[in-house]
Amino acid sequence: MQVLVSEVGPRDGLQSIKRTMPTEAKQRWIRALAASGLREIEVGSFVHPKWLPQMADAEDIVRDAVQIPGLTVLALVPNLKGAQRAMAAGAHKITVPIAASQLHNMANVRMTCEESIDAVAGICRLRDDAGSKTEVEVGIASAFGCTREGRVSEDWVMEMAVRLARVGVDSIGLSDSVGYANPAQVRRMFRRLISELGSKAGGAHLHNTRGQGLANVVAALDAGVTTIDASQAGIGGCPYAPGATGNIVTEDLVFLLESMGLDTGIDIDKLVAARAILAEALPGEPLYGHVPDAGVTKGFAYADPARSYVPAAEPREACNSAGAPA
Amino acid sequence: MQVLVSEVGPRDGLQSIKRTMPTEAKQRWIRALAASGLREIEVGSFVHPKWLPQMADAEDIVRDAVQIPGLTVLALVPNLKGAQRAMAAGAHKITVPIAASQLHNMANVRMTCEESIDAVAGICRLRDDAGSKTEVEVGIASAFGCTREGRVSEDWVMEMAVRLARVGVDSIGLSDSVGYANPAQVRRMFRRLISELGSKAGGAHLHNTRGQGLANVVAALDAGVTTIDASQAGIGGCPYAPGATGNIVTEDLVFLLESMGLDTGIDIDKLVAARAILAEALPGEPLYGHVPDAGVTKGFAYADPARSYVPAAEPREACNSAGAPA
């Protein structure tokens, strides 16, 4: 079984860095990431450049990236206008930010959660009316907790997910944008999500703020998740969530997955080599990751793409402790 | 259900640091660790001071630590003489290093694996003949792979574990001393260990060399492990295994466990406060950990000690995918 590693560095990473990476360097970086085997890259954001000057070149970046064979190009869009621009540029997928925490949503996009769901519905209608093939995704942010609200109702997260599916969103995932999630919760919530949404259940976007990023990845995999977001060199975070740092590092994630027998299609050496472009274009910017320092293990072998992945175990609810049906 | 966090900083951490922490500071540090709720601390090593001058005060440290009410005092002993010294000083438990990788074992203790098993048998006999209550533990090092040998046979690890149980060892755990383990392997091997050894199955000693430490903790918990080693501030590693760094950080582990609903009995604030002793006694020494920087999450609550922990799921082999017995 394959796991799709969705690379968010060019959007989620770069938007947290004040400097603007030159367009030409971004294009080289994205090509190098694709050449390492990454099949999906979130290349930019159509938030207005007055808010995110680092993302001003989104159209050019998308137009360039969609020429890369075999690459799924993803872009963040905050609203209808952004969606129009992204689709005009040829993005394969657009992702709309929406948070389960109303306080966070208000701070981020200045709408209530309900208003955001309506806005997403409008984007889906726009997509449909245009006869476009662009997929619409949502990663529900603050799904596991919020720096402002604290605990976020899991029932509410699921309610939002179901409503988003109904208004036409193709894939709804859960996002731990502030590094609040714990593995028991991640497992529980993704199991519910998959149970509620079936094929519309999306991926996991996990942060490493308290060191729990890869621990939550294990839990997400156990729950059946097959798409995991990560950022090369671990840059990224949410500017509206105080104290939050750290997307999980793509290099460390890929090594973890491959060592577990999960095929990602990614060449770790080529992936690590791509960091050089980042280092050159953003001199002095901290680049994180354990695997680039430590290397792979002696005897490391990539997962065999032909082998099926056996998840950790079946959900407990189906059996009693002796293994007989409950 | 409780998880025992076994603090190894004063031994595994300090032995990797060239400077010697003054005895008085060690004693204050150990008391502060115990005051935070840690119930088991590996306080020192009886390796000859010519090899580990940092551990020369092992007798004094053990004698002082065993006076702390409610604390289980653990010491590493490399051989019979070390065992005698540790028992004479009053250690509650002694742990004997033995590696599944013969190359690593030869480099570490200059014995073959078989000779090491015999040496452990001798220590158990010494303990029995003395009528001592000291428990003998072994954490099988290189259990998940070795920097010299690469892959290590899982069957051999289990064979060693069984033999060690037969010669009288009270608890046999698995140690990823070089940060090689992956979660699928950790889950698989601890399940086997528990299946083979029952109540003699011991804890997990995991390293974070490639960022996988807490990911492997999740897998170990899923397999039924209830003792996890960690080091305050994440210091430690094996001087004989090139390129290996990083015990998992106690602070990050405790937060992870408590947030998952697993009771550790540890007060995170008090634990973090103990770092000050380390910082003062070893100025400039890097102190790691995400939770000391980020703090706990808003809405964080300690696990309810009265609630039972429900593991992720039952082992797959008992059921087919529909939940019926296979």
Side-chain angles (χ1 to χ4, degrees):
Chain A
M1 186 176 108
Q2 287 181 345
V3 172
L4 177 67
V5 174
S6 187
E7 172 62 43
V8 301
R11 197 281 304 167
D12 201 12
L14 293 188
Q15 86 171 31
S16 300
I17 294 170
K18 287 195 162 35
R19 290 182 277 184
T20 296
M21 188 172 176
T23 303
E24 179 273 337
K26 277 194 204 180
Q27 290 168 335
R28 274 190 296 115
W29 182 35
I30 288 164
R31 281 175 187 285
L33 292 169
S36 79
L38 281 157
R39 297 191 191 89
E40 180 171 290
I41 302 175
E42 193 182 29
V43 301
S45 166
F46 286 86
V47 165
H48 199 288
K50 77 179 176 194
W51 302 120
L52 286 179
Q54 313 92 313
M55 298 285 123
D57 58 0
E59 256 105 352
D60 290 339
I61 294 295
V62 169
R63 284 205 184 93
D64 186 63
V66 296
Q67 296 176 43
I68 301 170
L71 180 68
T72 298
V73 176
L74 187 52
L76 186 146
V77 306
N79 52 32
L80 214 59
K81 177 116 182 84
Q84 283 169 322
R85 291 170 57 203
M87 289 194 290
H92 302 119
K93 291 185 182 178
I94 52 179
T95 181
V96 193
I98 180 172
S101 149
Q102 185 122 301
L103 284 179
H104 180 98
N105 210 53
M106 291 296 291
N108 208 22
V109 296
R110 291 176 297 173
M111 282 189 274
T112 65
C113 296
E114 303 270 5
E115 288 167 341
S116 273
I117 293 172
D118 288 341
V120 172
I123 289 169
C124 292
R125 277 192 302 273
L126 171 83
R127 182 269 312 269
D128 295 340
D129 292 347
S132 163
K133 290 205 174 88
T134 300
E135 290 185 29
V136 179
E137 289 198 352
V138 169
I140 300 176
S142 311
F144 302 93
C146 175
T147 54
R148 292 178 174 82
E149 281 189 15
R151 288 175 181 275
V152 171
S153 158
E154 295 185 11
D155 288 345
W156 171 238
V157 174
M158 292 303 141
E159 168 85 26
M160 285 182 70
V162 168
R163 289 198 209 179
L164 288 162
R166 281 205 202 116
V167 302
V169 178
D170 300 289
S171 172
I172 299 103
L174 303 178
S175 188
D176 183 26
S177 26
V178 291
Y180 263 46
N182 73 75
Q185 180 191 29
V186 168
R187 189 180 277 130
R188 178 174 67 242
M189 289 181 67
F190 275 105
R191 280 201 179 133
R192 270 185 83 173
L193 186 78
I194 290 169
S195 169
E196 301 264 2
L197 299 192
S199 62
K200 285 200 170 194
H205 181 98
L206 301 164
H207 272 212
N208 197 42
T209 312
R210 291 170 177 81
Q212 77 280 60
L214 293 181
N216 286 331
V217 167
V218 172
L221 294 170
D222 286 350
V225 173
T226 56
T227 298
I228 312 275
D229 288 2
S231 177
Q232 170 143 70
I235 50 176
C238 180
Y240 296 106
T245 58
N247 268 298
I248 62 178
V249 175
T250 310
E251 294 90 321
D252 292 353
L253 173 67
V254 172
F255 173 76
L256 186 84
L257 296 171
E258 292 283 346
S259 69
M260 290 174 73
L262 292 161
D263 174 44
T264 65
I266 295 162
D267 180 312
I268 294 173
D269 293 330
K270 289 182 180 171
L271 177 61
V272 172
R275 288 160 80 94
I277 299 169
L278 216 49
E280 185 202 9
L282 298 168
E285 195 63 40
L287 304 181
Y288 300 99
H290 289 77
V291 168
D293 290 336
V296 299
T297 51
K298 181 169 180 165
F300 169 76
Y302 283 93
D304 178 355
R307 284 190 63 199
S308 278
Y309 171 63
V310 177
E314 292 303 325
R316 186 187 180 80
E317 52 273 7
C319 309
N320 64 21
S321 58
Chain B
M1 185 175 109
Q2 287 183 345
V3 172
L4 178 66
V5 174
S6 185
E7 171 62 43
V8 301
R11 197 281 304 168
D12 201 12
L14 293 188
Q15 85 171 32
S16 301
I17 294 171
K18 285 194 165 33
R19 288 181 279 185
T20 296
M21 189 172 176
T23 301
E24 179 274 336
K26 278 194 203 179
Q27 289 168 336
R28 273 190 296 116
W29 182 34
I30 288 164
R31 282 175 187 285
L33 291 169
S36 79
L38 282 157
R39 296 192 191 88
E40 181 172 288
I41 303 175
E42 194 182 28
V43 300
S45 168
F46 287 87
V47 164
H48 198 288
K50 79 180 174 192
W51 302 119
L52 286 179
Q54 314 92 313
M55 297 285 123
D57 58 2
E59 256 104 353
D60 290 339
I61 294 293
V62 170
R63 284 206 183 91
D64 186 63
V66 295
Q67 296 175 41
I68 301 170
L71 180 67
T72 298
V73 176
L74 188 52
L76 186 146
V77 306
N79 50 33
L80 215 60
K81 177 117 182 86
Q84 282 167 325
R85 290 170 58 204
M87 290 194 290
H92 303 120
K93 291 185 184 178
I94 52 179
T95 181
V96 193
I98 178 171
S101 151
Q102 183 122 301
L103 283 179
H104 180 99
N105 210 53
M106 290 296 293
N108 209 22
V109 295
R110 292 176 298 173
M111 284 189 271
T112 64
C113 298
E114 304 269 7
E115 287 166 343
S116 274
I117 294 171
D118 289 341
V120 172
I123 289 169
C124 292
R125 277 192 301 273
L126 172 81
R127 182 269 312 268
D128 296 341
D129 292 347
S132 163
K133 290 204 175 86
T134 299
E135 290 185 29
V136 179
E137 288 197 352
V138 168
I140 300 176
S142 309
F144 301 93
C146 174
T147 54
R148 292 177 174 82
E149 281 190 17
R151 289 175 181 275
V152 170
S153 159
E154 295 185 10
D155 288 344
W156 170 239
V157 174
M158 292 302 142
E159 167 85 26
M160 285 183 69
V162 168
R163 288 197 211 181
L164 288 163
R166 279 204 204 118
V167 302
V169 177
D170 298 290
S171 171
I172 299 102
L174 304 177
S175 187
D176 183 26
S177 28
V178 290
Y180 263 46
N182 73 74
Q185 181 190 30
V186 167
R187 189 180 275 131
R188 179 173 68 240
M189 289 182 66
F190 275 106
R191 280 200 180 135
R192 267 185 85 174
L193 187 77
I194 290 168
S195 170
E196 300 265 4
L197 300 192
S199 61
K200 286 200 170 193
H205 180 99
L206 301 165
H207 273 213
N208 198 41
T209 313
R210 291 171 177 78
Q212 77 280 60
L214 293 181
N216 286 331
V217 167
V218 172
L221 293 170
D222 286 351
V225 173
T226 56
T227 298
I228 312 275
D229 288 1
S231 177
Q232 171 143 70
I235 50 176
C238 179
Y240 296 106
T245 59
N247 268 298
I248 61 178
V249 176
T250 310
E251 295 89 321
D252 292 354
L253 173 67
V254 172
F255 174 76
L256 186 85
L257 296 171
E258 293 283 344
S259 70
M260 291 176 71
L262 292 160
D263 173 43
T264 66
I266 295 162
D267 181 313
I268 294 172
D269 292 330
K270 289 182 180 172
L271 177 61
V272 170
R275 287 160 81 93
I277 300 168
L278 216 48
E280 185 202 10
L282 299 168
E285 196 61 42
L287 304 181
Y288 300 98
H290 289 78
V291 169
D293 291 335
V296 298
T297 51
K298 181 169 181 166
F300 169 77
Y302 283 93
D304 178 355
R307 285 189 62 199
S308 279
Y309 172 62
V310 175
E314 294 304 324
R316 185 187 181 79
E317 50 275 7
C319 310
N320 65 21
S321 60

